Amino acid sequence: MILIMDPNERIDELWEQAELTTKRSEKVRLLNELIQITDQHQLTVLGIGARIDLLAAARDRRSLVALAWIFSALDRDLNLYDEISEEGLELLYYWYYIIIVDVAVNYPEISKEKIWALLDDYLQRIKADGYQHEVLEHKIRMFLLTDLGELKKAKEAYYAWEKALSEQKKEERIDETYEWDLYTRARSQFEILDDIDQALEVGTLILDGHVTDGVVENSLPSLLIMPLWEKGYLNKAEEFYQRTRNYLIHESIYHDLSWQLGYLALTDQLEDAHHLFTEHVVKGFDPWEGPQDNPAARFDFYLHVRLFFHRLQAEGKKSILFQPPQAFPLQPKIKNEFDVDEIVHWLNQTLVDLATRFDQRNENRLYHEDLEKYANWIWQT
């Protein structure tokens, strides 16, 4: 006699396992199985909930498929809105926002027309549900325009965002300074306005804890290390590095750790750079742990890792020992010993390919200009 498990029991089991696991690949696998069961048994509301969780877990092209499914179901049956909790809807809109600025724009095969269409759809939906949208709209436009290399328009969006944010706080009598507002302001000040002084002031506020929440924590100060070094603020760059390095290692934020690796390479701290790469940064080549499934994040990660290997080349190093993650694309000469020139060649090829794809989509040379700038830094130090 074959016993068939009640689908609701299996759904509860999968959801519990997905909530408990900290491994991203396993979480995505469990949620995909959960989605298959809900679809098979036409459990639409549960299918929406599972896909909302998948948005947070995957954060890649699969997220766009999940979003399309969710809104197709909601548009076919408006009564479904009444069966989704307010918290569930807020999560859905939050992840829709993240998918636009952290997924869609970061895949060069997704056209600019598609990106702006996603934004228009998002804004129409949150307006229809009565959400405040003006501040958020300017912020998203500013992020997208920056990533697309349209800095003149991004500057206009920045000033519009600041004005709308000020008016909203005045209207709602909000005096606090929120960390995400500071993060947006500081990023924009050095990326769009080229004002490192203001970015430094804001980054210091976050680093010193003079804010009302702790979402960004040390990520922004780490993001500022390289711009501070580039503009000649050498003492501040070193201070920001020292004050953030342990946090990033503890949290295993490989993308951010690559910024620190690049900084160490440029400041001739090769022993520390070697330790950081072999013990921590190399794990970022794992597609489930690092930024490998996000082309824009992968470009940035490789760009900073290449600084380290260019520096090894300049020092005459021929090989490097490290334990590669399972998905590392190159083979060692002998056990765990890799050829430095081979790694540099592979990084160069991969970066040029990514830069070409992005610049073709964006219709400018933003990515190639970054390639050239970072390559020149090594030979100038």
Side-chain angles (χ1 to χ4, degrees), residues 200-242:
L200 172 60
E201 184 177 323
V202 173
T204 302
L205 282 174
I206 292 178
L207 205 57
D208 291 344
H210 299 308
V211 289
T212 55
D213 59 30
V215 178
V216 177
E217 298 183 354
N218 289 283
S219 187
L220 173 67
S222 297
L223 180 65
L224 288 172
I225 292 172
M226 294 288 284
L228 286 169
W229 175 88
E230 181 184 7
K231 297 294 185 181
Y233 291 68
L234 306 185
N235 291 336
K236 278 296 177 184
E238 180 66 19
E239 177 191 340
F240 275 39
Y241 163 69
Q242 293 293 343

mmCIF file of all heavy atoms in Angstrom, residues 200-242:
data_model
loop_
_atom_site.group_PDB
_atom_site.id
_atom_site.type_symbol
_atom_site.label_atom_id
_atom_site.label_comp_id
_atom_site.label_asym_id
_atom_site.label_seq_id
_atom_site.Cartn_x
_atom_site.Cartn_y
_atom_site.Cartn_z
ATOM 1 N N LEU A 200 31.809 61.814 2.397
ATOM 2 C CA LEU A 200 32.607 61.498 3.578
ATOM 3 C C LEU A 200 31.871 61.902 4.847
ATOM 4 O O LEU A 200 31.844 61.157 5.832
ATOM 5 C CB LEU A 200 33.952 62.220 3.499
ATOM 6 C CG LEU A 200 34.849 62.164 4.745
ATOM 7 C CD1 LEU A 200 35.190 60.726 5.089
ATOM 8 C CD2 LEU A 200 36.131 62.976 4.502
ATOM 9 N N GLU A 201 31.250 63.062 4.822
ATOM 10 C CA GLU A 201 30.507 63.538 5.996
ATOM 11 C C GLU A 201 29.367 62.581 6.341
ATOM 12 O O GLU A 201 29.165 62.225 7.507
ATOM 13 C CB GLU A 201 29.949 64.935 5.711
ATOM 14 C CG GLU A 201 29.244 65.579 6.890
ATOM 15 C CD GLU A 201 28.774 66.986 6.560
ATOM 16 O OE1 GLU A 201 29.493 67.699 5.841
ATOM 17 O OE2 GLU A 201 27.675 67.355 7.017
ATOM 18 N N VAL A 202 28.645 62.157 5.318
ATOM 19 C CA VAL A 202 27.520 61.249 5.540
ATOM 20 C C VAL A 202 28.023 59.869 5.961
ATOM 21 O O VAL A 202 27.464 59.250 6.876
ATOM 22 C CB VAL A 202 26.660 61.144 4.266
ATOM 23 C CG1 VAL A 202 25.587 60.082 4.416
ATOM 24 C CG2 VAL A 202 26.010 62.487 3.961
ATOM 25 N N GLY A 203 29.072 59.372 5.311
ATOM 26 C CA GLY A 203 29.625 58.078 5.683
ATOM 27 C C GLY A 203 30.104 58.051 7.123
ATOM 28 O O GLY A 203 29.945 57.036 7.824
ATOM 29 N N THR A 204 30.673 59.157 7.583
ATOM 30 C CA THR A 204 31.137 59.238 8.973
ATOM 31 C C THR A 204 29.959 59.189 9.939
ATOM 32 O O THR A 204 30.044 58.560 11.000
ATOM 33 C CB THR A 204 31.951 60.526 9.181
ATOM 34 O OG1 THR A 204 33.061 60.526 8.274
ATOM 35 C CG2 THR A 204 32.474 60.614 10.607
ATOM 36 N N LEU A 205 28.856 59.839 9.584
ATOM 37 C CA LEU A 205 27.652 59.776 10.419
ATOM 38 C C LEU A 205 27.202 58.330 10.617
ATOM 39 O O LEU A 205 26.863 57.917 11.728
ATOM 40 C CB LEU A 205 26.520 60.586 9.784
ATOM 41 C CG LEU A 205 26.551 62.104 9.937
ATOM 42 C CD1 LEU A 205 25.426 62.723 9.116
ATOM 43 C CD2 LEU A 205 26.411 62.503 11.405
ATOM 44 N N ILE A 206 27.209 57.572 9.539
ATOM 45 C CA ILE A 206 26.787 56.173 9.622
ATOM 46 C C ILE A 206 27.789 55.369 10.448
ATOM 47 O O ILE A 206 27.414 54.589 11.327
ATOM 48 C CB ILE A 206 26.635 55.569 8.216
ATOM 49 C CG1 ILE A 206 25.444 56.214 7.498
ATOM 50 C CG2 ILE A 206 26.448 54.062 8.286
ATOM 51 C CD1 ILE A 206 25.231 55.714 6.093
ATOM 52 N N LEU A 207 29.067 55.572 10.181
ATOM 53 C CA LEU A 207 30.100 54.821 10.876
ATOM 54 C C LEU A 207 30.070 55.087 12.378
ATOM 55 O O LEU A 207 30.304 54.196 13.193
ATOM 56 C CB LEU A 207 31.469 55.191 10.301
ATOM 57 C CG LEU A 207 32.591 54.171 10.440
ATOM 58 C CD1 LEU A 207 32.210 52.848 9.808
ATOM 59 C CD2 LEU A 207 33.864 54.701 9.815
ATOM 60 N N ASP A 208 29.754 56.320 12.748
ATOM 61 C CA ASP A 208 29.711 56.697 14.159
ATOM 62 C C ASP A 208 28.379 56.389 14.824
ATOM 63 O O ASP A 208 28.197 56.649 16.011
ATOM 64 C CB ASP A 208 30.024 58.197 14.313
ATOM 65 C CG ASP A 208 31.470 58.529 13.988
ATOM 66 O OD1 ASP A 208 32.286 57.582 13.941
ATOM 67 O OD2 ASP A 208 31.791 59.705 13.774
ATOM 68 N N GLY A 209 27.426 55.862 14.047
ATOM 69 C CA GLY A 209 26.159 55.443 14.635
ATOM 70 C C GLY A 209 25.162 56.551 14.904
ATOM 71 O O GLY A 209 24.238 56.359 15.695
ATOM 72 N N HIS A 210 25.292 57.703 14.249
ATOM 73 C CA HIS A 210 24.378 58.822 14.493
ATOM 74 C C HIS A 210 23.141 58.733 13.594
ATOM 75 O O HIS A 210 22.823 59.661 12.854
ATOM 76 C CB HIS A 210 25.093 60.160 14.266
ATOM 77 C CG HIS A 210 26.253 60.369 15.178
ATOM 78 N ND1 HIS A 210 26.172 60.249 16.539
ATOM 79 C CD2 HIS A 210 27.553 60.676 14.916
ATOM 80 C CE1 HIS A 210 27.357 60.486 17.084
ATOM 81 N NE2 HIS A 210 28.212 60.737 16.113
ATOM 82 N N VAL A 211 22.461 57.605 13.655
ATOM 83 C CA VAL A 211 21.287 57.381 12.816
ATOM 84 C C VAL A 211 20.250 56.632 13.627
ATOM 85 O O VAL A 211 20.507 56.188 14.746
ATOM 86 C CB VAL A 211 21.644 56.576 11.547
ATOM 87 C CG1 VAL A 211 22.456 57.390 10.569
ATOM 88 C CG2 VAL A 211 22.396 55.309 11.930
ATOM 89 N N THR A 212 19.036 56.472 13.055
ATOM 90 C CA THR A 212 17.944 55.891 13.821
ATOM 91 C C THR A 212 17.674 54.426 13.510
ATOM 92 O O THR A 212 16.750 53.858 14.052
ATOM 93 C CB THR A 212 16.648 56.687 13.557
ATOM 94 O OG1 THR A 212 16.411 56.722 12.156
ATOM 95 C CG2 THR A 212 16.772 58.100 14.070
ATOM 96 N N ASP A 213 18.429 53.816 12.621
ATOM 97 C CA ASP A 213 18.302 52.379 12.403
ATOM 98 C C ASP A 213 19.661 51.825 12.011
ATOM 99 O O ASP A 213 20.646 52.556 11.945
ATOM 100 C CB ASP A 213 17.228 52.045 11.355
ATOM 101 C CG ASP A 213 17.507 52.670 9.992
ATOM 102 O OD1 ASP A 213 18.686 52.857 9.656
ATOM 103 O OD2 ASP A 213 16.546 52.962 9.274
ATOM 104 N N GLY A 214 19.746 50.503 11.799
ATOM 105 C CA GLY A 214 21.037 49.888 11.545
ATOM 106 C C GLY A 214 21.056 49.013 10.315
ATOM 107 O O GLY A 214 21.710 47.986 10.294
ATOM 108 N N VAL A 215 20.318 49.396 9.288
ATOM 109 C CA VAL A 215 20.178 48.540 8.119
ATOM 110 C C VAL A 215 21.475 48.456 7.330
ATOM 111 O O VAL A 215 21.949 47.376 6.973
ATOM 112 C CB VAL A 215 19.031 49.047 7.223
ATOM 113 C CG1 VAL A 215 18.907 48.183 5.983
ATOM 114 C CG2 VAL A 215 17.716 49.049 7.999
ATOM 115 N N VAL A 216 22.057 49.586 7.023
ATOM 116 C CA VAL A 216 23.220 49.615 6.141
ATOM 117 C C VAL A 216 24.496 49.247 6.885
ATOM 118 O O VAL A 216 25.383 48.597 6.355
ATOM 119 C CB VAL A 216 23.358 51.007 5.482
ATOM 120 C CG1 VAL A 216 24.591 51.071 4.616
ATOM 121 C CG2 VAL A 216 22.123 51.303 4.665
ATOM 122 N N GLU A 217 24.599 49.657 8.136
ATOM 123 C CA GLU A 217 25.735 49.383 8.995
ATOM 124 C C GLU A 217 27.038 49.759 8.296
ATOM 125 O O GLU A 217 27.237 50.902 7.932
ATOM 126 C CB GLU A 217 25.693 47.922 9.461
ATOM 127 C CG GLU A 217 24.443 47.636 10.286
ATOM 128 C CD GLU A 217 24.377 46.234 10.827
ATOM 129 O OE1 GLU A 217 25.249 45.417 10.489
ATOM 130 O OE2 GLU A 217 23.446 45.969 11.577
ATOM 131 N N ASN A 218 27.922 48.799 8.090
ATOM 132 C CA ASN A 218 29.262 49.137 7.583
ATOM 133 C C ASN A 218 29.409 49.041 6.076
ATOM 134 O O ASN A 218 30.491 49.226 5.544
ATOM 135 C CB ASN A 218 30.300 48.222 8.248
ATOM 136 C CG ASN A 218 30.495 48.568 9.702
ATOM 137 O OD1 ASN A 218 31.150 49.543 10.035
ATOM 138 N ND2 ASN A 218 29.898 47.777 10.576
ATOM 139 N N SER A 219 28.341 48.735 5.362
ATOM 140 C CA SER A 219 28.469 48.551 3.923
ATOM 141 C C SER A 219 28.800 49.861 3.221
ATOM 142 O O SER A 219 29.657 49.888 2.346
ATOM 143 C CB SER A 219 27.177 47.966 3.355
ATOM 144 O OG SER A 219 27.335 47.642 2.003
ATOM 145 N N LEU A 220 28.123 50.951 3.582
ATOM 146 C CA LEU A 220 28.404 52.224 2.926
ATOM 147 C C LEU A 220 29.823 52.710 3.190
ATOM 148 O O LEU A 220 30.526 53.080 2.253
ATOM 149 C CB LEU A 220 27.397 53.292 3.342
ATOM 150 C CG LEU A 220 27.761 54.682 2.822
ATOM 151 C CD1 LEU A 220 27.660 54.739 1.306
ATOM 152 C CD2 LEU A 220 26.878 55.745 3.432
ATOM 153 N N PRO A 221 30.288 52.737 4.456
ATOM 154 C CA PRO A 221 31.682 53.153 4.657
ATOM 155 C C PRO A 221 32.672 52.325 3.847
ATOM 156 O O PRO A 221 33.684 52.843 3.376
ATOM 157 C CB PRO A 221 31.881 52.962 6.168
ATOM 158 C CG PRO A 221 30.520 53.182 6.741
ATOM 159 C CD PRO A 221 29.586 52.558 5.742
ATOM 160 N N SER A 222 32.397 51.028 3.644
ATOM 161 C CA SER A 222 33.281 50.206 2.819
ATOM 162 C C SER A 222 33.233 50.647 1.365
ATOM 163 O O SER A 222 34.246 50.678 0.669
ATOM 164 C CB SER A 222 32.880 48.732 2.927
ATOM 165 O OG SER A 222 33.045 48.272 4.242
ATOM 166 N N LEU A 223 32.034 50.990 0.904
ATOM 167 C CA LEU A 223 31.865 51.469 -0.470
ATOM 168 C C LEU A 223 32.652 52.752 -0.708
ATOM 169 O O LEU A 223 33.090 53.021 -1.821
ATOM 170 C CB LEU A 223 30.376 51.707 -0.744
ATOM 171 C CG LEU A 223 29.956 52.207 -2.122
ATOM 172 C CD1 LEU A 223 30.265 51.162 -3.181
ATOM 173 C CD2 LEU A 223 28.468 52.535 -2.139
ATOM 174 N N LEU A 224 32.874 53.541 0.348
ATOM 175 C CA LEU A 224 33.565 54.821 0.212
ATOM 176 C C LEU A 224 35.090 54.707 0.251
ATOM 177 O O LEU A 224 35.784 55.668 -0.083
ATOM 178 C CB LEU A 224 33.116 55.780 1.326
ATOM 179 C CG LEU A 224 31.692 56.343 1.198
ATOM 180 C CD1 LEU A 224 31.308 57.096 2.452
ATOM 181 C CD2 LEU A 224 31.592 57.255 -0.007
ATOM 182 N N ILE A 225 35.620 53.553 0.643
ATOM 183 C CA ILE A 225 37.072 53.421 0.813
ATOM 184 C C ILE A 225 37.811 53.740 -0.482
ATOM 185 O O ILE A 225 38.758 54.532 -0.502
ATOM 186 C CB ILE A 225 37.439 52.008 1.309
ATOM 187 C CG1 ILE A 225 36.935 51.812 2.739
ATOM 188 C CG2 ILE A 225 38.950 51.796 1.261
ATOM 189 C CD1 ILE A 225 37.080 50.386 3.240
ATOM 190 N N MET A 226 37.392 53.128 -1.588
ATOM 191 C CA MET A 226 38.084 53.343 -2.853
ATOM 192 C C MET A 226 37.929 54.776 -3.363
ATOM 193 O O MET A 226 38.922 55.381 -3.794
ATOM 194 C CB MET A 226 37.597 52.333 -3.892
ATOM 195 C CG MET A 226 37.960 50.891 -3.572
ATOM 196 S SD MET A 226 39.714 50.548 -3.788
ATOM 197 C CE MET A 226 39.795 50.455 -5.571
ATOM 198 N N PRO A 227 36.721 55.364 -3.349
ATOM 199 C CA PRO A 227 36.609 56.770 -3.761
ATOM 200 C C PRO A 227 37.454 57.707 -2.899
ATOM 201 O O PRO A 227 38.033 58.667 -3.405
ATOM 202 C CB PRO A 227 35.115 57.067 -3.608
ATOM 203 C CG PRO A 227 34.453 55.752 -3.769
ATOM 204 C CD PRO A 227 35.386 54.759 -3.148
ATOM 205 N N LEU A 228 37.531 57.449 -1.594
ATOM 206 C CA LEU A 228 38.367 58.287 -0.721
ATOM 207 C C LEU A 228 39.834 58.170 -1.124
ATOM 208 O O LEU A 228 40.555 59.168 -1.197
ATOM 209 C CB LEU A 228 38.182 57.866 0.741
ATOM 210 C CG LEU A 228 36.861 58.277 1.401
ATOM 211 C CD1 LEU A 228 36.690 57.564 2.742
ATOM 212 C CD2 LEU A 228 36.792 59.792 1.597
ATOM 213 N N TRP A 229 40.275 56.937 -1.394
ATOM 214 C CA TRP A 229 41.667 56.746 -1.836
ATOM 215 C C TRP A 229 41.896 57.466 -3.158
ATOM 216 O O TRP A 229 42.919 58.143 -3.334
ATOM 217 C CB TRP A 229 41.947 55.251 -1.985
ATOM 218 C CG TRP A 229 43.311 54.976 -2.546
ATOM 219 C CD1 TRP A 229 44.477 54.848 -1.849
ATOM 220 C CD2 TRP A 229 43.655 54.836 -3.928
ATOM 221 N NE1 TRP A 229 45.528 54.628 -2.714
ATOM 222 C CE2 TRP A 229 45.046 54.611 -4.000
ATOM 223 C CE3 TRP A 229 42.929 54.865 -5.113
ATOM 224 C CZ2 TRP A 229 45.722 54.430 -5.197
ATOM 225 C CZ3 TRP A 229 43.590 54.684 -6.328
ATOM 226 C CH2 TRP A 229 44.962 54.458 -6.363
ATOM 227 N N GLU A 230 40.955 57.341 -4.085
ATOM 228 C CA GLU A 230 41.109 57.941 -5.410
ATOM 229 C C GLU A 230 41.242 59.459 -5.328
ATOM 230 O O GLU A 230 42.017 60.074 -6.070
ATOM 231 C CB GLU A 230 39.904 57.579 -6.285
ATOM 232 C CG GLU A 230 39.980 58.133 -7.699
ATOM 233 C CD GLU A 230 38.738 57.841 -8.513
ATOM 234 O OE1 GLU A 230 37.757 57.327 -7.942
ATOM 235 O OE2 GLU A 230 38.739 58.142 -9.715
ATOM 236 N N LYS A 231 40.485 60.078 -4.398
ATOM 237 C CA LYS A 231 40.503 61.535 -4.271
ATOM 238 C C LYS A 231 41.626 62.047 -3.370
ATOM 239 O O LYS A 231 41.727 63.252 -3.113
ATOM 240 C CB LYS A 231 39.152 62.023 -3.721
ATOM 241 C CG LYS A 231 37.967 61.737 -4.641
ATOM 242 C CD LYS A 231 38.056 62.512 -5.944
ATOM 243 C CE LYS A 231 36.816 62.311 -6.790
ATOM 244 N NZ LYS A 231 36.887 63.031 -8.084
ATOM 245 N N GLY A 232 42.464 61.134 -2.871
ATOM 246 C CA GLY A 232 43.614 61.554 -2.076
ATOM 247 C C GLY A 232 43.360 61.652 -0.584
ATOM 248 O O GLY A 232 44.222 62.133 0.159
ATOM 249 N N TYR A 233 42.218 61.164 -0.105
ATOM 250 C CA TYR A 233 41.921 61.173 1.330
ATOM 251 C C TYR A 233 42.480 59.875 1.927
ATOM 252 O O TYR A 233 41.732 59.000 2.374
ATOM 253 C CB TYR A 233 40.424 61.279 1.567
ATOM 254 C CG TYR A 233 39.803 62.605 1.202
ATOM 255 C CD1 TYR A 233 39.706 63.022 -0.115
ATOM 256 C CD2 TYR A 233 39.305 63.451 2.193
ATOM 257 C CE1 TYR A 233 39.136 64.232 -0.454
ATOM 258 C CE2 TYR A 233 38.735 64.674 1.876
ATOM 259 C CZ TYR A 233 38.657 65.054 0.543
ATOM 260 O OH TYR A 233 38.086 66.254 0.213
ATOM 261 N N LEU A 234 43.789 59.755 1.949
ATOM 262 C CA LEU A 234 44.430 58.488 2.278
ATOM 263 C C LEU A 234 44.214 58.085 3.718
ATOM 264 O O LEU A 234 43.961 56.896 4.017
ATOM 265 C CB LEU A 234 45.926 58.567 1.967
ATOM 266 C CG LEU A 234 46.282 58.997 0.529
ATOM 267 C CD1 LEU A 234 47.788 58.907 0.315
ATOM 268 C CD2 LEU A 234 45.546 58.145 -0.498
ATOM 269 N N ASN A 235 44.292 59.024 4.649
ATOM 270 C CA ASN A 235 44.095 58.694 6.060
ATOM 271 C C ASN A 235 42.659 58.254 6.330
ATOM 272 O O ASN A 235 42.416 57.314 7.097
ATOM 273 C CB ASN A 235 44.452 59.893 6.946
ATOM 274 C CG ASN A 235 45.942 60.185 6.945
ATOM 275 O OD1 ASN A 235 46.754 59.300 6.673
ATOM 276 N ND2 ASN A 235 46.313 61.417 7.234
ATOM 277 N N LYS A 236 41.707 58.940 5.706
ATOM 278 C CA LYS A 236 40.303 58.578 5.891
ATOM 279 C C LYS A 236 40.005 57.221 5.264
ATOM 280 O O LYS A 236 39.243 56.415 5.823
ATOM 281 C CB LYS A 236 39.391 59.646 5.292
ATOM 282 C CG LYS A 236 39.169 60.839 6.196
ATOM 283 C CD LYS A 236 38.432 60.424 7.468
ATOM 284 C CE LYS A 236 38.258 61.579 8.429
ATOM 285 N NZ LYS A 236 37.615 61.135 9.707
ATOM 286 N N ALA A 237 40.589 56.951 4.108
ATOM 287 C CA ALA A 237 40.389 55.650 3.466
ATOM 288 C C ALA A 237 40.882 54.532 4.377
ATOM 289 O O ALA A 237 40.197 53.516 4.568
ATOM 290 C CB ALA A 237 41.114 55.606 2.127
ATOM 291 N N GLU A 238 42.054 54.733 4.971
ATOM 292 C CA GLU A 238 42.609 53.723 5.879
ATOM 293 C C GLU A 238 41.736 53.583 7.131
ATOM 294 O O GLU A 238 41.496 52.469 7.616
ATOM 295 C CB GLU A 238 44.037 54.089 6.265
ATOM 296 C CG GLU A 238 44.712 53.112 7.212
ATOM 297 C CD GLU A 238 44.946 51.734 6.595
ATOM 298 O OE1 GLU A 238 44.919 51.597 5.351
ATOM 299 O OE2 GLU A 238 45.170 50.778 7.365
ATOM 300 N N GLU A 239 41.249 54.710 7.650
ATOM 301 C CA GLU A 239 40.376 54.657 8.834
ATOM 302 C C GLU A 239 39.096 53.876 8.536
ATOM 303 O O GLU A 239 38.682 53.023 9.319
ATOM 304 C CB GLU A 239 40.013 56.078 9.278
ATOM 305 C CG GLU A 239 39.048 56.118 10.462
ATOM 306 C CD GLU A 239 38.492 57.508 10.731
ATOM 307 O OE1 GLU A 239 39.109 58.500 10.272
ATOM 308 O OE2 GLU A 239 37.432 57.599 11.389
ATOM 309 N N PHE A 240 38.489 54.163 7.383
ATOM 310 C CA PHE A 240 37.249 53.461 7.031
ATOM 311 C C PHE A 240 37.518 51.963 6.830
ATOM 312 O O PHE A 240 36.699 51.128 7.199
ATOM 313 C CB PHE A 240 36.642 54.066 5.761
ATOM 314 C CG PHE A 240 35.766 55.261 6.019
ATOM 315 C CD1 PHE A 240 36.101 56.207 6.982
ATOM 316 C CD2 PHE A 240 34.607 55.448 5.301
ATOM 317 C CE1 PHE A 240 35.300 57.306 7.222
ATOM 318 C CE2 PHE A 240 33.793 56.545 5.528
ATOM 319 C CZ PHE A 240 34.143 57.481 6.486
ATOM 320 N N TYR A 241 38.671 51.637 6.257
ATOM 321 C CA TYR A 241 39.022 50.231 6.078
ATOM 322 C C TYR A 241 39.166 49.542 7.438
ATOM 323 O O TYR A 241 38.590 48.469 7.665
ATOM 324 C CB TYR A 241 40.317 50.094 5.281
ATOM 325 C CG TYR A 241 40.934 48.714 5.427
ATOM 326 C CD1 TYR A 241 40.316 47.603 4.859
ATOM 327 C CD2 TYR A 241 42.111 48.538 6.157
ATOM 328 C CE1 TYR A 241 40.858 46.337 5.017
ATOM 329 C CE2 TYR A 241 42.656 47.268 6.313
ATOM 330 C CZ TYR A 241 42.030 46.173 5.755
ATOM 331 O OH TYR A 241 42.560 44.927 5.914
ATOM 332 N N GLN A 242 39.918 50.139 8.333
ATOM 333 C CA GLN A 242 40.173 49.522 9.633
ATOM 334 C C GLN A 242 38.877 49.341 10.431
ATOM 335 O O GLN A 242 38.711 48.346 11.141
ATOM 336 C CB GLN A 242 41.165 50.379 10.445
ATOM 337 C CG GLN A 242 42.565 50.425 9.880
ATOM 338 C CD GLN A 242 43.280 49.083 9.957
ATOM 339 O OE1 GLN A 242 42.875 48.185 10.693
ATOM 340 N NE2 GLN A 242 44.352 48.945 9.175
#
